[in-house]
Amino acid sequence: MAEYGFGNPEVIEEEVDILIIGGGMAACGAAFEIMRWAEGTGLKIKLVDKAAMDRSGAVAQGLSAINTYCGENDPADYVRYVRNDLMGIIREDLVYDVGRHVDDSVHHFEEWGLPVWKQPGDEGKKLAEGGKPVRSGKWQIMINGESYKWIVAEAAKKALGLENIREHVFIVRLVNDKNDPKRVAGAAGFSVREHKLYVYKFKACLLVCGGAVNVFRPRSVGEGMGRAWYPVWNAGSTYAMAAETGAELTMMENRFVPARFKDGYGPVGAWFLLFKAKAKNGYGEDYGAKNGHIIKDEKRFGKYGQGTPGTCLRNHIMMEEIKAGRGPIFIDTPEALGSLAKNMTPKEVNHLLAEAWEDFLDMTIGQCGIWAGENIEPEKVPSEIMPTEPYLLGSHAGCAGIWVSGPTDLPGVPKEWSWGYRSMTTVKGLFTAGDGVGASGHKFSSGSFTEGRIAAKGMVKFALDNKDWKPDMARTKEELIEEIYRPVKTFLEHKNYTTAIDVNPHYITPKMLQLRLQKIMDEYVAGVSTYYQTNGKMLEVAENKLQMLKEDSLKMRAKDLHELLRAWENYHRIIAAEAHMQHIKFREETRYPGYYYRMDHNFLDDTNWKVFVNSTYDRNTGKWECKKVPYVQIIK
Ligand code: FAD
C-alpha cells in the first residue's frame, strides 16, 4: 500500500458527548444553539463535515430567497400549506414546531449580516424591529444571499469554537453499542485530504448529511455531467447510515422533481412569484390555464386538485403537455419583464434586469453561464424549463426521511409520536434534522437551521440524563479499517492484472458503479427515461438488479482518497435508492402524480393509503420491512 501513499492509516480516536455529523444548515443551527444549553455542563461537543463549512451543503452557492418566514402568518396556516403541497400526509406536530420557531432563526441571520430586502420605507429597519420584507410568496422573502452559508457558518463556528470542528472528514458509518443494539455509540470516517481514519465515540449524535443526489441518471450527461439541481455532494449518507443503524425511515417513497430552467437548473421561484412570469407551451399557449381542469378529476387525484395545486400536481400538468407533443415549455421572461417595466423609468428597468440576473448569481451561477453562452437576454428571449431527475430530500418540496420524536406540548398529537427526546430517531442517541427528518417538508434553509436548534436542545438533555453511560462500540478499530479501506486494498491487490487501469475483472470503478445505479433507477424506478412511470413488475426487476449492485459494490476500487470518497458515497446512494424503491413498491397507489406514477395503481387512494409508510432495514440480512403507520390530522 505504501507505494500509493496507502500504508495503514493513522487512527485518531476521540470520545465526546455529542457529535454533529454534517456542516450544513441543520448542523449550523445545532452548533449555534447547543452551547446555550451545554454551557457550564462540561459536555464535549464536536462537529465533523466532509467539506468546508463555509461553502458546504445545499446552500453552498448561496440563495436568493429564504423560503420559510412566517412573519404576519399563523404557523397553523403554514401546516395547511405544507399538508396541501405534500398531498395530505405530513407529521403536523413537526411542521408546526418549525413554523412557530423559524422566524427567530431568520432574525438571527439578519443580525449576523444577511441582507434582507425590505418594502419601500422600511429599508434599514430589521425584521425583528417590524421591518416589512419583500415577499416573493406568502412564505418566502427575498435576500441578497450569495454569502448566506458563509454568514451562517461563521456564527456556528464562533459558537462551537474552531477547535471543536473537523472539516474534510467523510463519515462512512455509525456503530451501534455492543451491549444495546438499539443504541448508537460511535461513528467512523476518513479524511479526504490526509491518510487518517477518525473514530468517534459518543453518547448522542446528530446525523445531518442532507439529502440524496445522483441516485437517478441526471438529465445533464456528457459535457454537462456533475451538474444537478440539489448538491451532488449530498449522497444519501443521512438515510443510509440511519437505516444501517436500525432507525425507522418514513415516506422514503416521496421524492422531489423540480421544474427548473433547463440544463442550468436555475431557480424559477422569483420568476413565477416575484416577476409574475407565465409558463407557456411551445406554441405560446398558457397551458396551465388551458389544462388546469385535468387535476380536478377526483377519482384520480382525490380532493387535492380542487384548490391551489401542490408542486407535484403543477408538474403533472406540465408533463401532460409535453407528452401531448406541445413542448418545449418556456417561461415567458420578455412578457413578464415587459409588463413590469411599463410604468418604470429606464433606471428602474435596468435595476429590474439586474435583479433577474442576480437571482441566478446568488444561487446558481451556472445558469448565468448558460444564458451568456446561448446569447439569452431574458428581456428578449424566453427560456426553457424542464422537470429534472428525481432527488430524495426532506427539507424542500419533498418529505423523505427518518421518523423522529416530536414535541410534547401540542394538543391532539398521538402519544407514540413523542417516545423520547425531541428529534431523536427510533435508535437511542441518534438524532436528526433538516433533510434527515421525514414527513415534514418545506422547511427549506431557515427551517432546517431551526430544526438543528431544536435537536441541539434535545441532545443536551439526553447527554446530561445519560452522563454516566459509557459508549462501547460493537465493532473494533481493526474491523473498521478493514471495511473502510477495502476499496483501496482491492485496487492494490489487482491493479497489475491488466494494463488498462480502469478495465479489470477484479474490480469496478466508483464511476462505473454510479452509472449502473443511475441506469437501474432511471429505467425501472420512475426516472426521466420512462417519464417518471413504474409498476410492480418493473420494481421487481429493480430489486434484483439493486441486490446484485450491492454485491458488486464490495468490489469497488479506490486508487486514491478521492475515489475512496466516491466509493463510499455510492454505497450510501445504493442504500438510499433501495429504501426509495422498497417504499414505492409497498405504496400501491399514485400519491404524487408529477413526481412519480405507479402505472398499475395510477390513482390516489385516500381510503387505503392516507397513511405514513415506515421501514426498517436489517443490515445483516439485507432485508427491508415496510409498514403502514396511521396518519393523524392535528390542525383543522
Ligand atoms: P445541507 O445544508 O445540504 O448540509 C448537509 C451537510 O452534510 C453538508 O455540510 C455536507 O458537506 C455534509 N455531509 C454530507 N455527507 C456527509 C458525510 N458522509 N460525512 C460528513 N459530512 C457529510 N432554501 C431556502 O430557504 N430558499 C431557497 O430558495 C432554496 N433554494 C434551494 C435551491 C437549491 C438548488 C438547493 C440545493 C436548496 C435550496 N434550498 C432553499 C433548501 C436548503 O438549502 C435546504 O433545505 C437546507 O440546506 C437543508 O439543510 P441540511 O442541513 O439538511 O442539509
Side-chain angles (χ1 to χ4, degrees):
M1 299 233 283
E3 185 190 344
Y4 283 80
F6 270 113
N8 269 338
E10 183 188 338
V11 181
I12 290 126
E13 288 177 277
E14 217 179 317
E15 185 165 334
V16 295
D17 292 295
I18 296 171
L19 185 71
I20 300 170
I21 306 177
M25 288 306 286
C28 286
F32 163 70
E33 180 75 22
I34 203 158
M35 292 322 294
R36 285 172 58 178
W37 306 96
E39 199 82 64
T41 60
L43 289 182
K44 195 159 187 275
I45 298 149
K46 187 123 208 179
L47 181 151
V48 50
D49 188 355
K50 75 188 267 195
M53 274 172 82
D54 292 336
R55 290 276 177 201
S56 70
V59 185
Q61 289 187 57
L63 296 178
S64 52
I66 285 178
N67 283 352
T68 311
Y69 180 72
C70 283
E72 64 282 15
N73 299 304
D74 180 357
D77 236 7
Y78 168 63
V79 173
R80 291 181 194 108
Y81 142 73
V82 180
R83 183 172 63 205
N84 181 58
D85 201 84
L86 290 168
M87 307 299 277
I89 309 170
I90 53 163
R91 279 276 301 271
E92 300 185 7
D93 57 333
L94 304 179
V95 177
Y96 187 84
D97 211 15
V98 169
R100 65 178 164 174
H101 289 120
V102 69
D103 288 6
D104 184 66
S105 295
V106 180
H107 296 169
H108 278 296
F109 300 157
E110 194 177 28
E111 189 187 313
W112 300 333
L114 182 71
V116 176
W117 295 15
K118 294 288 160 40
Q119 301 275 4
D122 270 4
E123 298 94 346
K125 198 168 168 193
K126 295 253 160 74
L127 290 170
E129 297 159 354
K132 292 262 169 298
V134 173
R135 281 201 179 275
S136 50
K138 185 168 178 183
W139 309 100
Q140 298 86 347
I141 59 173
M142 296 300 293
I143 56 173
N144 288 105
E146 188 277 338
S147 300
Y148 184 10
K149 184 66 202 305
W150 192 282
I151 291 167
V152 170
E154 186 182 36
K157 285 177 177 179
K158 220 168 155 188
L160 203 57
L162 288 182
E163 66 286 5
N164 296 316
I165 293 171
R166 173 133 334 258
E167 294 179 333
H168 305 298
V169 169
F170 181 82
I171 297 295
V172 173
R173 48 170 84 264
L174 299 177
V175 185
N176 294 76
D177 188 66
K178 202 187 224 167
N179 310 306
D180 183 355
K182 287 294 283 172
R183 182 169 193 155
V184 67
F190 60 92
S191 162
V192 299
R193 294 276 168 93
E194 300 167 301
H195 192 34
K196 289 181 181 171
L197 180 81
Y198 286 84
V199 180
Y200 295 101
K201 284 187 195 172
F202 47 72
K203 294 182 174 56
C205 107
L206 181 69
L207 181 63
V208 278
C209 297
V213 181
N214 271 334
V215 168
F216 283 83
R217 180 158 49 200
R219 285 199 185 270
S220 293
V221 292
E223 68 168 346
M225 181 120 142
R227 226 183 270 147
W229 170 75
Y230 224 54
V232 289
W233 41 87
N234 286 356
S237 300
T238 310
Y239 311 131
M241 288 196 273
E244 290 206 307
T245 318
E248 202 164 303
L249 306 183
T250 188
M251 303 306 281
M252 285 300 292
E253 63 274 33
N254 186 272
R255 51 169 67 178
F256 182 33
V257 174
R260 290 293 182 269
F261 283 107
K262 191 166 174 296
D263 298 334
Y265 297 87
V268 296
W271 280 99
F272 282 134
L273 300 172
L274 190 70
F275 301 139
K276 312 286 178 225
K278 287 213 161 65
K280 297 185 175 166
N281 67 17
Y283 300 91
E285 295 168 305
D286 179 352
Y287 67 87
K290 189 175 63 125
N291 293 350
H293 65 276
I294 60 179
I295 52 167
K296 305 276 179 220
D297 175 359
E298 283 208 33
K299 282 208 184 89
R300 190 157 170 216
F301 304 104
K303 55 184 187 301
Y304 303 96
Q306 305 306 315
T308 310
T311 313
C312 68
L313 289 177
R314 293 199 301 275
N315 275 4
H316 175 75
I317 296 171
M318 176 194 286
M319 287 172 189
E320 289 295 294
E321 194 67 2
I322 297 173
K323 282 197 277 185
R326 289 188 290 269
I329 304 298
F330 291 100
I331 290 196
D332 195 340
T333 55
E335 182 189 70
L337 291 174
S339 47
L340 284 172
K342 258 185 207 144
N343 302 318
M344 285 181 177
T345 62
K347 195 171 164 207
E348 285 169 335
V349 172
N350 275 343
H351 185 71
L352 181 69
L353 274 178
E355 272 173 6
W357 282 90
E358 191 180 318
D359 184 36
F360 292 162
L361 289 169
D362 270 354
M363 61 188 284
T364 316
I365 302 155
Q367 186 69 51
C368 289
I370 288 185
W371 269 9
E374 294 186 353
N375 292 343
I376 292 173
E377 294 173 72
E379 66 278 28
K380 294 185 185 151
V381 190
S383 279
E384 200 177 335
I385 55 169
M386 190 76 178
T388 70
E389 63 279 0
Y391 304 95
L392 309 181
L393 48 80
S395 72
H396 208 284
C399 61
I402 309 167
W403 189 245
V404 300
S405 188
T408 49
D409 63 328
L410 296 176
V413 182
K415 268 207 299 296
E416 54 280 16
W417 287 6
S418 50
W419 56 87
Y421 296 78
R422 177 69 177 95
S423 309
M424 196 167 90
T425 69
T426 54
V427 168
K428 212 168 172 184
L430 178 63
F431 292 71
T432 193
D435 277 326
V437 178
S440 80
H442 289 268
K443 293 167 272 204
F444 301 101
S445 59
S446 48
S448 298
F449 183 92
T450 304
E451 266 192 342
R453 294 178 69 185
I454 293 171
K457 190 175 166 191
M459 285 193 298
V460 169
K461 186 161 175 10
F462 178 88
L464 291 176
D465 290 350
N466 289 272
K467 208 156 185 160
D468 298 327
W469 181 78
K470 289 293 284 173
D472 191 2
M473 299 203 331
R475 305 185 69 200
T476 65
K477 184 173 72 180
E478 289 69 29
E479 284 167 352
L480 289 166
I481 296 178
E482 181 71 20
E483 183 187 18
I484 291 175
Y485 288 91
R486 187 196 309 116
V488 178
K489 210 168 147 204
T490 302
F491 172 69
L492 294 176
E493 265 174 28
H494 300 292
K495 69 185 174 51
N496 293 329
Y497 189 82
T498 62
T499 51
I501 198 165
D502 289 346
V503 184
N504 195 308
H506 295 289
Y507 58 64
I508 178 167
T509 67
K511 184 172 177 183
M512 281 155 69
L513 185 121
Q514 187 179 326
L515 292 174
R516 191 172 356 145
L517 168 68
Q518 292 177 346
K519 183 171 160 64
I520 295 167
M521 295 303 285
D522 181 54
E523 293 177 357
Y524 298 99
V525 194
V528 296
S529 71
T530 62
Y531 244 96
Y532 311 96
Q533 296 174 9
T534 185
N535 63 36
K537 296 288 169 205
M538 291 165 86
L539 293 166
E540 270 172 32
V541 177
E543 188 168 15
N544 274 330
K545 286 182 185 285
L546 284 176
Q547 180 54 36
M548 279 186 237
L549 185 70
K550 207 156 58 169
E551 284 168 25
D552 284 355
S553 73
L554 299 177
K555 294 276 174 61
M556 261 190 293
R557 75 129 202 244
K559 65 178 165 50
D560 48 36
L561 281 177
H562 181 70
E563 272 201 349
L564 191 60
L565 172 72
R566 290 285 178 258
W568 282 110
E569 284 178 341
N570 281 340
Y571 182 76
H572 288 172
R573 282 192 184 100
I574 294 173
I575 304 292
E578 260 196 339
H580 187 50
M581 184 275 295
Q582 290 287 353
H583 275 238
I584 291 183
K585 193 159 157 243
F586 186 77
R587 184 180 281 282
E588 293 184 328
E589 64 156 353
T590 297
R591 172 65 48 176
Y592 307 106
Y595 282 178
Y596 79 84
Y597 302 85
R598 271 283 312 242
M599 296 306 283
D600 45 352
H601 303 277
N602 196 7
F603 52 90
L604 194 143
D605 178 2
D606 262 353
T607 312
N608 296 300
W609 287 102
K610 192 157 184 193
V611 289
F612 301 103
V613 170
N614 285 13
S615 67
T616 43
Y617 178 63
D618 182 335
R619 195 171 162 236
N620 298 318
T621 61
K623 295 271 175 271
W624 290 87
E625 253 183 48
C626 291
K627 64 174 184 191
K628 290 181 176 181
V629 175
Y631 158 78
V632 178
Q633 181 172 346
I634 292 155
I635 307 249
K636 294 292 163 231

